[in-house]
């Protein structure tokens, strides 16, 4: 039989408290939204988070992976250790949404002054987890186990030359002392209606790799191209060749994949054919074998096209985040918790997406589940809403209460099942 809190089932207690603290959660979100900070620079954000967690009487550690915050709630009864994670960093994006609490913050990113915005919903993640921490702390004596609240910096990637994010947190022992048995994460989604939750077992978000290709030709006057080897033309041919990897060489009935070149830089003036060209791109895959195959094909395509023109191509592929892979058995058990939070009709399977998440590093170490909570206003069309990572990104704050409850039920139900 499930435990009770103040004469209520724990489900009733969570729902009642979620209603009571909803406006507090909204206020947290607005504070974070108005004061965003970039990856590895979340100094004031972490101070705010730590202050709220300490006020709950939790054991709090700061400075984890530079600016991360970890709090521990020891339940009144023995049981497993569950981790709940929220990310903290904003993005170098200008805000266009007409909000009273819109960000006007500017900061430095890779040596340039940039506007900063919570353009991916990390402000809501922190607010929801603070809300969940308050509810779960109120149940401390009845909780069967330990809950570790992880507020993670630099999910969007550390600045050049720095470590950061989930990988650094793991390196610094965030999953130890006490050792975590399972971890749960939430991402708000601006194209999913408020009140709804979407999930997927196994491959949920893509692995992401950074692709750099340097094409070396031979410089010449722009009026006499036959005296040189044009690296810009060769680069153009390589870019077109790369598109045939996904469209013609990979079995897309297995999983989706993306190869995108996002930047191409070469030359200084109109009448000089330069010596080299550099391009940078991203690779997204949802299957490890497919990932390895695409890497091999990119290298072969680029080097052979360059060689055919008398140029050379140097290919460098850096593996960034692995596949966000939801443990199948744990996901199946977690569905009941999501139904408690949102209702049966509001919980559904989703397709895998080619976005990426460094929550995947936690999942490499312990079983984990990562789900999507709706943030799109009711009645809106997906095509009418601002996408993530854009100036028009918008979240309906009424969706956060569902996320608060989901955090609570995922942790409590896991501990109940393991008692």
């Amino acid at each position: 039989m499930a435990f009770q809190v103040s004469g209520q089932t724990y489900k009733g207690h969570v729902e009642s408290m979620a209603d009571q603290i909803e406006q507090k959660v909204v206020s947290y979100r607005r504070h974070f939204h108005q004061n965003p900070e970039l990856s590895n620079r979340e100094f004031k954000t972490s101070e705010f988070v730590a202050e709220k967690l300490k006020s709950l009487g939790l054991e709090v550690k700061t400075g984890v992976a530079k600016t991360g915050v970890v709090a521990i709630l020891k339940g009144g009864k023995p049981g497993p250790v569950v981790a709940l994670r929220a990310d903290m960093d904003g993005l170098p994006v200008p805000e266009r949404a007409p909000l009273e609490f819109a960000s006007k913050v500017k900061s430095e990113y890779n040596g340039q002054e940039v506007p900063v915005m919570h353009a991916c919903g990390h402000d809501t993640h922190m607010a929801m987890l603070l809300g969940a921490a308050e509810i779960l702390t109120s149940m401390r004596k009845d909780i069967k186990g330990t809950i570790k609240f992880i507020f993670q910096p630099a999910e969007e990637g550390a600045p050049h030359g720095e470590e950061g994010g989930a990988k650094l947190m793991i390196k610094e022992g965030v999953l130890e002392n006490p050792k975590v048995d399972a971890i749960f994460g939430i991402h708000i989604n601006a194209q999913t209606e408020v009140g709804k939750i979407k999930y997927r077992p196994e491959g949920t978000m893509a692995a992401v790799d950074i692709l750099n290709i340097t094409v070396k030709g031979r410089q010449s006057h722009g009026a006499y191209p036959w005296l040189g080897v044009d690296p810009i033309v060769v680069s153009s041919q390589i870019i077109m060749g790369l598109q045939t990897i996904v469209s013609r060489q990979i079995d897309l009935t297995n999983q989706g994949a993306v190869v995108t070149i996002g930047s191409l830089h070469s030359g200084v003036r109109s009448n000089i054919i330069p010596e080299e060209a550099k391009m940078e791109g991203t690779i997204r895959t949802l299957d490890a074998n497919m990932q390895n195959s695409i890497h091999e094909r990119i290298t072969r395509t680029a080097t052979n096209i360059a060689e055919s023109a008398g140029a050379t191509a140097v290919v460098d592929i850096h593996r960034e985040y692995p596949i966000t892979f939801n443990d199948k058995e744990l996901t199946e058990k977690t569905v009941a918790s999501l139904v408690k939070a949102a209702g049966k009709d509001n919980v559904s399977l989703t397709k895998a997406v080619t976005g990426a998440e460094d929550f995947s590093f936690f999942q490499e170490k312990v079983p984990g589940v990562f789900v999507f909570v709706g943030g799109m206003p009711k009645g809106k069309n997906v095509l009418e809403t601002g996408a993530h990572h854009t100036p028009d990104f918008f979240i309906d704050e009424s969706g956060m209460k569902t996320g608060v409850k989901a955090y609570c039920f995922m942790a409590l139900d896991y501990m109940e099942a393991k008692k």
Side-chain angles (χ1 to χ4, degrees):
M1 179 178 174
F3 69 85
Q4 293 194 330
V5 182
S6 303
Q8 292 180 301
T9 64
Y10 69 77
K11 180 176 184 293
H13 179 76
V14 168
E15 289 176 338
S16 176
M17 278 208 68
D19 288 337
Q20 292 174 35
I21 68 170
E22 182 176 11
Q23 289 310 307
K24 184 186 290 188
V25 171
V26 168
S27 71
Y28 292 159
R29 185 263 167 152
R30 293 185 177 187
H31 171 81
F32 292 133
H33 193 86
Q34 203 163 21
N35 300 280
E37 295 177 293
L38 295 173
S39 304
N40 276 0
R41 305 292 185 270
E42 307 94 340
F43 303 113
K44 293 188 181 299
T45 302
S46 63
E47 286 177 10
F48 184 92
V49 168
E51 176 190 326
K52 298 303 177 186
L53 293 170
K54 287 175 182 176
S55 74
L56 298 174
L58 297 174
E59 177 186 327
V60 179
K61 184 178 182 181
T62 59
V64 184
K66 300 186 186 295
T67 55
V69 182
V70 179
I72 295 176
L73 169 60
K74 294 179 181 177
K77 300 173 183 179
V81 179
V82 178
L84 301 176
R85 175 269 203 171
D87 38 15
M88 303 168 67
D89 49 332
L91 287 159
V93 173
E95 182 153 24
R96 273 200 301 251
L99 302 174
E100 290 182 8
F101 53 93
S103 171
K104 296 179 175 60
V105 172
K106 292 189 177 181
S107 186
E108 184 181 297
Y109 180 71
N110 290 339
Q112 293 183 323
E113 185 181 69
V114 294
V116 186
M117 174 191 174
H118 271 296
C120 201
H122 297 187
D123 51 344
T124 69
H125 303 166
M126 290 184 284
M128 290 188 294
L129 190 52
L130 284 175
E134 181 167 346
I135 294 173
L136 292 166
T137 301
S138 75
M139 307 164 67
R140 186 196 303 260
K141 66 182 179 62
D142 298 301
I143 286 177
K144 302 176 177 71
T146 298
I147 302 173
K148 187 177 284 192
F149 302 97
I150 299 174
F151 289 81
Q152 180 212 303
E155 188 282 325
E156 299 291 354
H160 291 320
E162 296 183 24
E163 288 185 283
K167 195 172 185 179
L168 184 56
M169 288 198 110
I170 293 167
K171 184 178 176 181
E172 294 186 2
V174 75
L175 297 178
E176 307 296 330
N177 303 314
K179 184 175 176 58
V180 171
D181 296 300
I183 187 167
F184 299 93
I186 288 175
H187 206 301
I188 205 148
N189 185 262
Q191 279 72 46
T192 297
E193 191 174 81
V194 294
K196 297 185 181 296
I197 301 177
K198 293 184 177 181
Y199 73 96
R200 180 180 177 83
E202 301 186 333
T204 299
M205 299 184 77
V208 56
D209 306 309
I210 293 176
L211 169 63
N212 288 282
I213 301 175
T214 301
V215 177
K216 297 184 178 180
R218 188 169 66 249
Q219 189 160 322
S220 67
H221 195 297
Y224 310 106
W226 53 87
L227 297 178
V229 176
D230 191 336
I232 297 176
V233 171
V234 175
S235 295
S236 301
Q237 292 171 331
I238 289 173
I239 291 169
M240 296 306 296
L242 295 179
Q243 303 314 302
T244 68
I245 294 174
V246 172
S247 67
R248 289 295 180 269
Q249 300 176 44
I250 296 297
D251 181 3
L252 293 179
T253 63
N254 176 25
Q255 289 285 4
V258 173
V259 177
T260 292
I261 298 298
S263 70
L264 173 62
H265 298 280
S266 186
V268 293
R269 60 175 294 156
S270 62
N271 64 347
I272 299 175
I273 292 174
E275 191 167 60
E276 70 175 29
K278 293 186 176 183
M279 66 186 88
E280 184 177 22
T282 187
I283 307 163
R284 305 296 172 108
T285 48
L286 288 150
D287 176 89
N289 291 329
M290 185 183 290
Q291 182 183 27
N292 293 332
S293 176
I294 288 175
H295 288 190
E296 293 172 3
R297 292 169 190 274
I298 286 173
T299 300
R300 184 176 67 211
T301 298
T303 54
N304 287 351
I305 287 175
E307 184 180 359
S308 72
T312 61
V314 178
V315 179
D316 177 62
I317 299 173
H318 176 70
R319 294 175 185 254
E320 279 283 285
Y321 300 171
I323 297 165
T324 305
F325 192 89
N326 285 340
D327 181 272
K328 186 176 181 180
E329 182 181 351
L330 183 58
T331 304
E332 290 171 354
K333 293 177 179 178
T334 301
V335 173
S337 306
L338 305 180
V339 170
K340 281 182 185 175
K344 186 176 181 180
D345 293 341
N346 293 318
V347 176
S348 61
L349 280 167
T350 187
K351 295 179 180 179
V353 297
T354 48
E357 243 289 346
D358 78 346
F359 186 82
S360 52
F361 286 113
F362 295 123
Q363 292 174 310
E364 286 189 323
K365 301 297 182 182
V366 298
V369 174
F370 193 74
V371 302
F372 302 96
V373 168
M376 181 177 71
K378 286 184 180 295
K380 279 281 189 180
N381 185 289
V382 169
L383 299 178
E384 297 173 347
T385 59
H388 291 245
H389 288 220
T390 71
D392 299 308
F393 176 75
F394 176 82
I395 290 297
D396 184 330
E397 294 169 330
S398 67
M400 292 193 292
K401 185 165 68 173
T402 303
V404 171
K405 293 190 291 184
Y407 269 131
C408 292
F409 290 136
M410 287 190 292
L412 292 169
D413 291 347
Y414 179 84
M415 290 189 289
E416 277 288 287
K418 291 287 184 179
K419 64 184 176 182

